[in-house]
């Protein structure tokens, strides 16, 4: 079922979450058992992230460097199939521009359509760690809006090659990312919103936000998005802080600020357990206020660790 239909049918705020495919070599069984407790809160959909290949440089005895591709978290499509089969919920794969040609994207979408996936989150992706800026594949997309356009074309039965034309058309519901604290490359919020609107004008039907820790930032973002003429649902992303490292890593990685009130509490923490307790309390407060504001769903970035999200959901749903 489409995310937009789940949202339309709901009469209160929904619970949803995102997981990461397990690291290469780890088992799917462990992942599924790990998220099973969260099914108590009846998530209508579960997002599965995608991680593009990274490159490492291997030094040979003759001094030459070899560029080698590594893929740490394969299997997004397979994990979606496993989640749908095991829990009978919708799985939403994340699709990236980065690392994909249009042809590979089309093939991935055909596979997803075959296994019964109804929704995709269309993203540009980041530059690989070894490259300073995002560079599209020679036959790939530079921005998420172009990926949205390709998916909409397939929904209209228009494929890359004539021989596939007139075959069964797909019917994906398309989500895109939004940034309450602005995407880090955008020179201003106005600029970022212009291109968010482009994604929606091209066919995106809902927005999932980057994590934020200050609800005011989300509420102000929603106001600005509405003023820009965008009317689709905006699902807030929630990330409970759980380790000492995340206190500085999250702002650095995701270009966001922690509010003073939260930082003051985190500064008193001596262990990861202390941080987790503060993170849970903060998220509960955030979630209660967002539910009162009647947001469409609380979408948790679980990083595949369900225990923290479970404790929060138990309090707020
Ligand atoms: P875009 O919408 O393409 O925007 C990228 C930048 O370009 C923005 O600054 C925008 O303002 C600007 N821009 C857009 N269009 C134009 C244009 N036509 N001309 C000039 N500038 C333009 N990453 C992963 O690798 N895997 C994941 O699974 C993943 N999941 C995510 C889920 C969510 C909910 C979010 C919020 C992010 C996720 N990301 C993921 C991270 C995302 O890939 C990065 O934030 C990436 O840098 C931007 O992706 P985007 O789709 O927002 O890009």
């Amino acid at each position: 079922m489409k995310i937009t239909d789940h949202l339309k049918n709901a009469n209160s705020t929904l619970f949803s979450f995102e997981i990461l495919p397990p690291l290469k070599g780890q088992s799917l069984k462990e992942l599924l058992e790990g998220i099973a407790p969260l099914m108590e809160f009846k998530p209508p959909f579960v997002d599965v992230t995608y991680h593009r290949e990274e490159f490492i440089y291997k030094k040979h005895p003759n001094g030459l460097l070899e560029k080698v591709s590594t893929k740490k978290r394969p299997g997004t499509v397979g994990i979606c199939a496993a989640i749908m089969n095991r829990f009978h919920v919708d799985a939403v794969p994340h699709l990236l521009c980065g690392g994909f040609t249009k042809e590979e994207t089309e093939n991935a979408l055909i596979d997803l359509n075959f296994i019964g996936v109804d929704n995709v989150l269309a993203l540009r992706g980041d530059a690989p760690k070894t490259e300073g800026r995002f560079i599209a594949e020679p036959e790939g997309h530079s921005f998420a809006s172009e990926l949205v356009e390709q998916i909409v074309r397939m929904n209209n039965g228009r494929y890359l090659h004539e021989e596939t034309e007139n075959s069964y058309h797909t019917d994906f519901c398309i989500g895109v990312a939004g940034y309450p604290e602005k995407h880090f490359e955008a020179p201003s919020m106005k600029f970022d919103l212009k291109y968010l609107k482009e994604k929606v004008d091209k066919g995106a039907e809902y927005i999932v936000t980057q994590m934020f820790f200050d609800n005011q930032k989300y509420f102000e973002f929603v106001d600005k998005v509405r003023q820009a003429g965008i009317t689709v649902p905006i699902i807030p992303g929630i990330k409970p802080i759980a380790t000492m490292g995340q206190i500085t890593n999250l702002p650095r990685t995701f270009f966001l600020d922690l509010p003073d009130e939260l930082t003051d509490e985190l500064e008193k923490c001596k262990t990861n357990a202390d941080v987790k307790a503060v993170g849970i309390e903060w998220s509960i407060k955030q979630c209660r206020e967002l539910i009162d504001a009647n947001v469409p769903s609380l979408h948790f970035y679980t990083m595949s660790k369900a225990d923290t999200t479970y404790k929060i959901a138990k309090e707020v749903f």
Side-chain angles (χ1 to χ4, degrees), residues 18 47-52 94-97 121-127 134 142-146 176-179 183-188 191-193 195-196 198-199 208-211 254 299 301:
E18 169 189 295
D47 275 49
V48 184
T49 59
Y50 186 87
H51 299 264
R52 67 181 291 183
H94 292 189
L95 266 194
L96 301 185
C97 303
L121 194 74
L123 301 146
R124 187 197 69 179
D126 284 318
F134 179 86
S142 300
F143 296 106
S145 56
E146 297 169 6
V176 288
Y179 301 83
H183 184 260
F184 71 102
E185 289 168 28
S188 69
F191 179 99
D192 211 16
L193 288 174
Y195 290 111
L196 179 60
E198 183 171 65
K199 292 192 276 195
V208 183
T209 79
Q210 184 56 279
M211 63 183 78
F254 298 106
H299 190 69
Y301 292 109

Side-chain angles (χ1 to χ4, degrees), residues 232-252:
V232 300
I234 305 170
I235 298 175
I238 306 293
K239 165 78 186 95
I241 293 196
T243 65
M244 299 284 281
Q246 286 174 355
I247 301 172
T248 47
N249 284 346
L250 294 177
R252 190 173 54 236

Side-chain angles (χ1 to χ4, degrees), residues 82-102:
I83 286 176
M84 294 191 305
N85 187 41
R86 165 86 181 262
F87 300 115
H88 307 288
V89 299
D90 280 300
V92 185
H94 292 189
L95 266 194
L96 301 185
C97 303
F100 279 89
T101 63
K102 288 175 198 153

Side-chain angles (χ1 to χ4, degrees), residues 31-163:
L31 174 89
L32 297 179
E33 280 170 8
I35 62 172
L38 296 178
M39 296 302 148
E40 180 181 327
F41 310 106
K42 306 208 176 338
F45 61 96
V46 175
D47 275 49
V48 184
T49 59
Y50 186 87
H51 299 264
R52 67 181 291 183
E53 59 186 353
E54 293 283 341
F55 294 98
I56 50 164
Y57 288 91
K58 243 175 141 175
K59 196 167 183 182
H60 287 284
N62 62 6
L64 287 178
L65 290 176
E66 186 191 356
K67 192 177 177 186
V68 181
S69 149
T70 59
K71 210 156 187 305
K72 289 192 191 140
R73 294 180 184 273
T76 298
V77 176
I79 291 165
C80 285
I83 286 176
M84 294 191 305
N85 187 41
R86 165 86 181 262
F87 300 115
H88 307 288
V89 299
D90 280 300
V92 185
H94 292 189
L95 266 194
L96 301 185
C97 303
F100 279 89
T101 63
K102 288 175 198 153
E103 184 102 39
E104 286 164 339
T105 298
E106 181 167 297
N107 289 337
L109 287 162
I110 289 170
D111 282 350
L112 290 168
N113 185 53
F114 274 146
I115 64 168
V117 165
D118 292 330
N119 307 277
V120 290
L121 194 74
L123 301 146
R124 187 197 69 179
D126 284 318
K129 288 190 188 81
T130 43
E131 289 168 22
R133 66 190 177 88
F134 179 86
I135 301 167
E137 292 300 301
E139 280 302 313
H141 299 302
S142 300
F143 296 106
S145 56
E146 297 169 6
L147 178 55
V148 171
E149 237 177 343
Q150 181 177 6
I151 304 167
V152 168
R153 274 200 304 272
M154 285 182 65
N155 281 349
N156 291 321
R158 289 169 54 213
Y159 292 77
L160 292 173
H161 304 293
E162 274 175 20
E163 59 270 26

Side-chain angles (χ1 to χ4, degrees), residues 106-314:
E106 181 167 297
N107 289 337
L109 287 162
I110 289 170
D111 282 350
L112 290 168
N113 185 53
F114 274 146
I115 64 168
V117 165
D118 292 330
N119 307 277
V120 290
L121 194 74
L123 301 146
R124 187 197 69 179
D126 284 318
K129 288 190 188 81
T130 43
E131 289 168 22
R133 66 190 177 88
F134 179 86
I135 301 167
E137 292 300 301
E139 280 302 313
H141 299 302
S142 300
F143 296 106
S145 56
E146 297 169 6
L147 178 55
V148 171
E149 237 177 343
Q150 181 177 6
I151 304 167
V152 168
R153 274 200 304 272
M154 285 182 65
N155 281 349
N156 291 321
R158 289 169 54 213
Y159 292 77
L160 292 173
H161 304 293
E162 274 175 20
E163 59 270 26
T164 337
E165 299 272 358
N166 301 322
S167 60
Y168 179 77
H169 65 85
T170 58
D171 189 19
F172 291 109
C173 170
I174 308 165
V176 288
Y179 301 83
E181 298 183 58
K182 184 179 85 58
H183 184 260
F184 71 102
E185 289 168 28
S188 69
M189 183 56 103
K190 186 175 168 212
F191 179 99
D192 211 16
L193 288 174
K194 173 176 161 190
Y195 290 111
L196 179 60
K197 181 153 190 322
E198 183 171 65
K199 292 192 276 195
V200 174
D201 288 346
K202 285 189 170 168
E205 292 172 83
Y206 71 99
I207 296 165
V208 183
T209 79
Q210 184 56 279
M211 63 183 78
F212 56 88
F213 294 88
D214 179 351
N215 283 351
Q216 209 44 43
K217 299 250 168 80
Y218 169 82
F219 295 133
E220 285 166 12
F221 175 68
V222 172
D223 284 347
K224 286 182 193 145
V225 171
R226 299 299 178 227
Q227 280 161 25
I230 301 168
T231 57
V232 300
I234 305 170
I235 298 175
I238 306 293
K239 165 78 186 95
I241 293 196
T243 65
M244 299 284 281
Q246 286 174 355
I247 301 172
T248 47
N249 284 346
L250 294 177
R252 190 173 54 236
T253 310
F254 298 106
F255 302 89
L256 44 85
D257 286 339
L258 303 187
D260 289 341
E261 201 190 325
L262 173 59
T263 315
D264 290 347
E265 287 309 306
L266 290 170
E267 267 197 296
K268 295 178 200 157
C269 296
K270 302 263 184 303
T271 63
N272 282 342
D274 297 341
V275 172
K276 206 178 209 177
V278 170
I280 289 173
E281 269 316 299
W282 188 264
S283 293
I284 290 172
K285 220 167 87 175
Q286 262 194 292
C287 290
R288 287 193 172 132
E289 191 180 22
L290 291 165
I291 289 174
D292 286 346
N294 210 13
V295 299
S297 184
L298 293 174
H299 190 69
F300 286 85
Y301 292 109
T302 67
M303 311 242 175
S304 301
K305 293 193 173 59
D307 61 324
T308 316
T309 302
Y310 184 89
K311 286 184 183 142
I312 299 161
K314 195 82 186 153

